[in-house]
Amino acid sequence: RDLNVLEVARSVDQATKAKEQLAKESIHRARDEVAARKAALQAQMREQEQRLLEEEKRLANLEQELKTGCSQDEQRQVQALRSAIEGDGRDIRNLEREVASKLDAMRRATDAYVEAEERLSTKRAERKKR
């Protein structure tokens, strides 16, 4: 059967609309794929950036260790030991002052005792003479 002009125009119009719809769907799928690939790439870039930051931090720690000659843990131990030694030094100086003070007090007391003994001996000797 032959198609009349109106049927041909309708058929062409339907075919054009179907083709346009397929093209739109194809474009939407392509956009979705591009968006998905973009999101995947962004996630990879974030992961890679995180790895690079961790590597930079590790290198900075190594550089610091190279400059100081020891790691941060060792530096903390050295600082703790230094503080303990300084504290012991302060304690020793305080005890030395205390010992010197008590030694001085003991000498004064000994001198006073000797002086009192001498006065007592002198008084006893005077009493015997009388």
Side-chain angles (χ1 to χ4, degrees), residues 70-85:
C70 58
S71 69
Q72 288 183 345
D73 289 339
E74 291 169 337
Q75 285 178 355
R76 283 190 284 274
Q77 287 177 323
V78 166
Q79 186 59 40
L81 288 172
R82 182 176 289 131
S83 295
I85 290 169

Side-chain angles (χ1 to χ4, degrees), residues 15-62:
T16 304
K17 285 182 182 180
K19 188 176 180 181
E20 286 175 0
Q21 184 61 35
L22 286 174
K24 285 180 183 178
E25 289 173 4
S26 178
I27 289 172
H28 285 300
R29 277 194 307 273
R31 280 188 181 152
D32 290 344
E33 289 174 11
V34 167
R37 287 194 341 237
K38 182 179 178 181
L41 282 173
Q42 287 174 337
Q44 287 177 345
M45 287 174 58
R46 283 191 299 272
E47 290 173 11
Q48 191 170 12
E49 183 178 13
Q50 184 62 37
R51 284 193 300 267
L52 288 173
L53 288 173
E54 289 170 4
E55 183 67 14
E56 284 177 350
K57 184 177 179 182
R58 188 181 71 78
L59 289 173
N61 287 340
L62 287 173

Side-chain angles (χ1 to χ4, degrees), residues 90 92-102:
R90 284 189 298 275
I92 288 172
R93 284 191 299 279
N94 289 338
L95 289 171
E96 286 173 342
R97 281 194 296 273
E98 183 181 345
V99 165
S101 171
K102 295 201 186 285

